[in-house]
Amino acid sequence: MTRSPVKVLYIDDEENNLIAFKASFRRQYEIYTANSAAEGLKVLENLPIEVIIADQKMPQTTGVEFFKSITTTFPDPVRILLTGYTDISALADAINHGDIYRYITKPWNDLELHNSIKNAHDAYRSKIDLRNKIKELEKTNDELNRFIYSISHELRAPLVSVIGIVNLVKMEGLYHSSGEYWELIESCSSKLDYYIQKTLQYYKNNKNVTDKSEIDFKHLVNEIIELYAYSNKDTTFNININQAQKFIGDSFRIEVILGNLISNAIKYQKTSNKEKTVEISIEVNKFSAEILIKDNGLGILNEHLEKIFTQFFKSKNNQGSGLGLFIVKEALNKINGKISVSSDLDYGTTFKITIPNAT
């Protein structure tokens, strides 16, 4: 299939230059000319131009100024500047800001200009091809995410039934009637349910939609503790929440962040520790919520602190999915939040989080 000629727009206030350019290159390219920046803009609005060549020294608007003015509205065409005099500062500024691809001195050399147009068009095609590939990848990724979400959602229904049966067996006093089989079924089911929930969190967090609503941190924290501490009554929670200021934020992502961090603080306690404690402190002002979650649990090795937010990272003591803290970091990125961590194997781990207030 023969590719259509490259569409080139040449802007110059000197009519003789326009005629000479068209005569030299009309056989190789599809040429359009304009004698002012305003006329060139009209051409751009009506035709899919791929390469723009503009003279620098034009009345009213210079070539550099014209290129800067179309950077947002027409970002795709590749721009070449023709200049008959030396203006180093203007050229350097235009090149540094990406406003021009190349500059050529006048009078131009036909071969040099031809090669520049050809290279500029190659750059244009590469830009368009890359954008199309990105769109294809985004579409494929979205389809994959939706597939994973659908499968995970469908898996939860029979899994919840299995967990329900185990609970009925416990209620009827038959949990230990078959050796360790029921305990094994419960353990495997709970672990699978945990993985599925993390997968669903990951999918929902990847969506760009934000849900801005008023957050009551005291109510939210109490709900999360009730949800995650029901199976571990040994942990003491010291809660200090100061929220005199109204806070607006993404309720889903904030719940995911706090849920993962609080559940980890409960989960990774030392089995030998008789005084398991989790400290939760939240200070809300008109700009942000400053959150501190501190435990006296297992702690994290210093060499692991930079890795704990990476996907699927698991330390020797980590029996989780390796997704929890990764999801926390991704959720914070979505809402422009920040997180830092300090840890000591003797004293436990402290997470400090800052979440902007959208009021």
Side-chain angles (χ1 to χ4, degrees), residues 46-212:
N46 291 282
L47 292 166
I49 298 299
E50 297 161 299
V51 178
I52 308 171
I53 302 170
D55 184 37
Q56 167 66 358
K57 192 174 182 181
M58 294 188 293
Q60 298 172 340
T61 303
T62 66
V64 168
E65 290 170 345
F66 173 71
F67 286 147
K68 285 185 177 181
S69 71
I70 64 169
T71 300
T72 303
T73 49
F74 299 98
D76 291 335
V78 180
R79 301 171 286 277
I80 297 174
L81 187 73
L82 286 178
T83 176
Y85 68 104
T86 303
D87 190 351
I88 297 300
S89 60
L91 288 175
D93 182 61
I95 292 170
N96 289 337
H97 287 85
D99 298 315
I100 66 170
Y101 169 74
R102 186 167 294 176
Y103 78 92
I104 294 175
T105 56
K106 292 171 66 177
W108 67 76
N109 176 280
D110 280 3
L111 180 59
E112 181 187 10
L113 187 51
H114 168 69
N115 288 333
S116 295
I117 294 172
K118 183 177 179 300
N119 292 336
H121 181 253
D122 289 341
Y124 171 86
R125 289 306 319 166
S126 296
K127 185 192 299 184
I128 300 301
D129 290 344
L130 178 60
R131 181 186 301 157
N132 291 336
K133 290 294 183 185
I134 290 172
K135 285 182 180 178
E136 288 177 17
L137 286 172
E138 287 175 344
K139 181 183 177 183
T140 302
N141 187 59
D142 185 57
E143 290 173 351
L144 180 60
N145 278 336
R146 282 190 280 113
F147 173 75
I148 291 171
Y149 175 79
S150 178
I151 291 296
S152 299
H153 197 270
E154 292 299 321
L155 282 173
R156 277 216 82 197
L159 185 59
V160 168
S161 297
V162 172
I163 293 172
I165 291 169
V166 172
N167 289 330
L168 284 174
V169 169
K170 284 182 176 179
M171 290 172 61
E172 294 177 3
L174 300 173
Y175 189 70
H176 300 290
S177 63
S178 302
E180 298 180 352
Y181 291 130
W182 285 113
E183 185 179 352
L184 183 61
I185 291 171
E186 182 181 35
S187 174
C188 293
S189 299
S190 297
K191 185 173 289 188
L192 181 57
D193 187 45
Y194 174 80
Y195 281 121
I196 290 173
Q197 288 190 57
K198 292 303 174 191
T199 302
L200 293 173
Q201 279 185 1
Y202 176 74
Y203 169 79
K204 290 178 180 177
N205 184 55
N206 261 351
K207 299 177 76 174
N208 290 323
V209 179
T210 55
D211 169 31
K212 290 186 178 180

Side-chain angles (χ1 to χ4, degrees), residues 226-295:
E226 185 178 347
L227 177 64
Y228 290 107
Y230 74 94
S231 61
N232 187 339
K233 304 297 183 183
D234 299 332
T235 302
T236 300
F237 292 90
N238 299 322
I239 303 170
N240 179 26
I241 298 176
N242 182 13
Q243 188 178 358
Q245 178 75 35
K246 181 179 180 182
F247 187 91
I248 301 295
D250 188 320
S251 57
F252 167 73
R253 290 190 170 99
I254 291 173
E255 184 177 347
V256 165
I257 292 161
L258 294 178
N260 276 290
L261 293 175
I262 292 173
S263 65
N264 280 357
I266 297 168
K267 187 190 305 179
Y268 298 114
Q269 287 286 344
K270 298 174 184 175
T271 54
S272 59
N273 193 349
K274 295 181 180 180
E275 295 182 357
K276 302 172 184 177
T277 60
V278 175
E279 178 184 336
I280 301 170
S281 174
I282 301 177
E283 188 78 26
V284 179
N285 58 54
K286 64 180 180 179
F287 302 109
S288 64
E290 305 294 331
I291 303 168
L292 181 144
I293 299 175
K294 182 178 180 180
D295 65 63

